[in-house]
Amino acid sequence: MGSSFRFLFALFCAVPALSLPASPYEVKESVHPPHGWVQHSAPSPSHGIELRIGLPQPNFGVLETHLYEVSDPDHHRYGQHLSKEEVEELIAPHPDSLDAVNDWLASHGIQEEDVTRSPGKDWVTLKLPVELVEKMLDTKYHVWKHTKTGDYIVRTTSYSLPIHLHEHVDVIQPTTMFGQFKPFRSTISKVEAAPATPAANSLGSLVNPATGLTIDASCNVTITVSCLQQLYNAVGFTPSAKGNSIGITGYLEEFANFADLQQFFAQQVPAAENSSFKVVSVNNGLNNQSDPGFEANLDVQFAFGISHPITPTFFTTGGSPPFIPDDDTPTDTNEPYLNWLDFILSQENIPLSISTSYGDDEQTVPEAFAKRVCADFAQLGARGTSVIFSSGDNGVGDGDSNPATQTCFTNNGRNETKFIPVFPATCPFVTSVGATDNVAPEVAVSSFFSGGGFSNYFSRPPYQDVVVPNYLKTELAPGTFEGLFNPEGRGFPDISAQGDRFEIIVGGQAFLIGGTSASSPTVNGFISLLNDVRLKSGWPALGFLNPFIYKKGFAGFTDILSGHNSGCGTPGFNVTKGWDPVTGFGTPNFGKLKELILEVTGA
């Protein structure tokens, strides 16, 4: 327990709260516990909680306007991204909100030196004992246990605030959030005898009928960097522009191994041998070289292998270890991507494209919190960074990867059956990536993944106003899946890429791995190459991708015309010509995209 935390706990126990004008409490947020979570016990009164308070952003609408203008290939401001300071000015809370929250904290003995503020002052973070948090929020926390995974968390299902504070606070967490942030990785199998030189092709060649490109037939068995370069029309391209950068986020003690990367490069990207990546620690994140992670190695090996020699960074974000009842050492925190966002938004220089292969079932993340996190991703886009997320691995279903046991129940207390979208992939300010399989032709991955569908939290963004209604009208017969999804919601994914049988090195051994966890870093690598083309021609990086993709860029993607995304006892949605909620617009054709991105220059 840190000294500041001990001081606050002692102060709470010894000093009465300061006197302020009385304001009765009223419930701010209330949820039903998600399926699988049951009350286990009461936490220790001194159990630490890292409380985050989100203050309203009254000018966010202005920021959103800027974001769409600088991302619209037909707008004269295209590519004129905002500075860190300009973004912070636009998301700053009103002084009245700052004062109201500060007074409330002071009434509980909490002073300015006890809190940490985000760069825009729209988030307040403080570490407190649960007993004090219960008093501040007029609530009761419990230890909850997940009946399937055995995980424990400390949460409440309802919290309140003084009435006068409601307009000055958007969200407070961790309170009602029961999410199980996880990597979107579906299959792992050990390769007993991996080829020493994957480029050597003993199986002949195939021609992709959709593109006319020739691909090694071995790519139908094992996906390598060379396979992706062939399939996506980037053979022979070497980036050379200065100032380019690419990032990968790592969470949940997934560590990227340097020795494994060198072995991977020796086999698949010889030109990259003896190069490495920068490690940036967030929230005391580690990169333990004795414990290589499948997810982290997959992400860095393929993203950095495709994009070499563009400057690579691996962000390792520390998260609390699994909470153990009666153990006061761990601090139960929020989803770790908020820790990462706090950090990255405070930096002057951030990678121009960043991918994340993790997420939650949308309904396990409270709507108010999801919308605030999504707004943070909008800040990254406004500053010129492409933010890329995996679309999930369970089709239209929930986090249970076994189709026989998928329930797809809602968390609204009525046990309704509905499709389960995935967050942050449903955030309209990120680019969501689904998964494909095979190479001649590519199809949607059939083995129960390539997450897709429609958000229940986020309405349809303007860039989807044509393609989504067209899909719903032409591809779904009246009444199809009625009541199972929100037809007015943000559709996802936006695009897709290969997502199965990727050969990676972990602990010096070769493995095959799959999931949209593979698709997201793949797209990240190719977006980084496109940024190289832009920068070399004197133009800004692509930034927020979706307005470009939906208006012009779709012509640079290969449409996927076979497959569906099963789940919830249904076949899920079907792929179709054009955009669909399985593979989006399809997979990248680097050669075509390279031409398209040079046609849009702004003023």
Side-chain angles (χ1 to χ4, degrees), residues 42-234:
S44 164
S46 63
H47 172 74
I49 289 183
E50 187 174 85
L51 201 68
R52 293 180 183 268
I53 304 168
L55 280 63
Q57 303 167 329
N59 294 317
F60 179 78
V62 180
L63 173 68
E64 188 175 13
T65 297
H66 283 290
L67 172 64
Y68 278 116
E69 288 181 355
V70 302
S71 308
D72 181 348
D74 288 336
H75 199 280
H76 70 275
R77 293 184 61 204
Y78 182 70
Q80 297 178 23
H81 304 121
L82 278 61
S83 69
K84 174 178 180 289
E85 292 73 23
E86 288 170 333
V87 167
E88 289 170 2
E89 183 177 347
L90 288 171
I91 54 90
H94 193 280
D96 288 350
S97 296
L98 288 169
D99 291 342
V101 171
N102 289 344
D103 289 346
W104 173 61
L105 295 177
S107 75
H108 290 279
I110 300 166
Q111 303 302 317
E112 182 62 26
E113 60 268 23
D114 303 317
V115 307
T116 302
R117 300 185 187 274
S118 62
K121 295 183 169 46
D122 54 325
W123 284 102
V124 176
T125 303
L126 56 163
K127 295 183 178 180
L128 301 173
V130 68
E131 188 173 7
L132 175 54
V133 177
E134 289 177 336
K135 180 178 178 63
M136 293 169 62
L137 303 182
D138 191 25
T139 189
K140 178 64 180 174
Y141 279 79
H142 293 89
V143 177
W144 296 77
K145 180 179 180 180
H146 196 273
T147 54
K148 182 176 180 180
T149 66
D151 291 342
Y152 295 91
I153 58 175
V154 177
R155 294 292 187 269
T156 180
T157 56
S158 177
Y159 70 92
S160 300
L161 289 171
I163 291 175
H164 77 278
L165 270 184
H166 280 234
E167 64 178 308
H168 299 297
V169 172
D170 272 349
V171 62
I172 299 180
Q173 290 294 345
T175 49
T176 58
M177 181 163 51
F178 287 77
Q180 290 183 289
F181 192 63
K182 57 189 176 292
F184 288 136
R185 185 180 64 234
S186 291
T187 56
I188 302 174
S189 59
K190 184 176 179 181
V191 182
E192 297 293 347
T197 53
N201 178 29
S202 61
L203 301 179
S205 300
L206 300 170
V207 176
N208 185 322
T211 63
L213 296 169
T214 299
I215 305 104
D216 292 345
S218 61
C219 298
N220 258 338
V221 179
T222 302
I223 292 294
T224 63
V225 170
S226 176
C227 289
L228 296 170
Q229 291 168 335
Q230 296 171 53
L231 186 60
Y232 298 145
N233 198 15

Side-chain angles (χ1 to χ4, degrees), residues 422-503:
V422 167
F423 179 79
T426 53
C427 170
F429 305 126
V430 308
T431 299
S432 173
V433 183
T436 60
D437 196 5
N438 299 327
V439 297
E442 284 187 275
V443 300
V445 174
S446 59
S447 57
F448 196 61
F449 62 91
S450 196
F454 300 87
S455 174
N456 291 317
Y457 288 173
F458 301 100
S459 60
R460 183 186 306 145
Y463 54 78
Q464 290 190 325
D465 278 346
V466 174
V467 297
V468 169
N470 181 66
Y471 178 86
L472 296 174
K473 180 179 179 180
T474 62
E475 299 302 322
L476 292 183
T480 303
F481 302 144
E482 185 172 357
L484 292 180
F485 74 100
N486 172 24
E488 303 301 321
R490 185 267 207 259
F492 75 107
D494 303 297
I495 54 177
S496 53
Q498 285 283 308
D500 206 6
R501 303 186 310 277
F502 277 51
E503 184 175 332

Side-chain angles (χ1 to χ4, degrees), residues 572-587:
F573 296 106
N574 289 323
V575 300
T576 188
K577 185 176 181 179
W579 181 89
D580 57 68
V582 186
T583 59
F585 281 113
T587 57

Side-chain angles (χ1 to χ4, degrees), residues 196 258-276 304-305 308-309:
F258 296 116
D260 287 342
L261 181 68
Q262 290 306 311
Q263 185 175 336
F264 177 86
F265 280 165
Q267 293 184 1
Q268 297 199 28
V269 194
E273 281 191 82
N274 299 317
S275 68
S276 191
F304 300 161
H308 176 77

Side-chain angles (χ1 to χ4, degrees), residues 322-346:
F323 170 68
I324 303 172
D326 303 320
D327 183 349
D328 287 340
T329 302
T331 298
D332 213 20
T333 62
N334 295 290
E335 301 290 26
Y337 45 71
L338 186 54
N339 288 322
W340 178 79
L341 278 165
D342 283 348
F343 172 84
I344 201 71
L345 289 171
S346 70

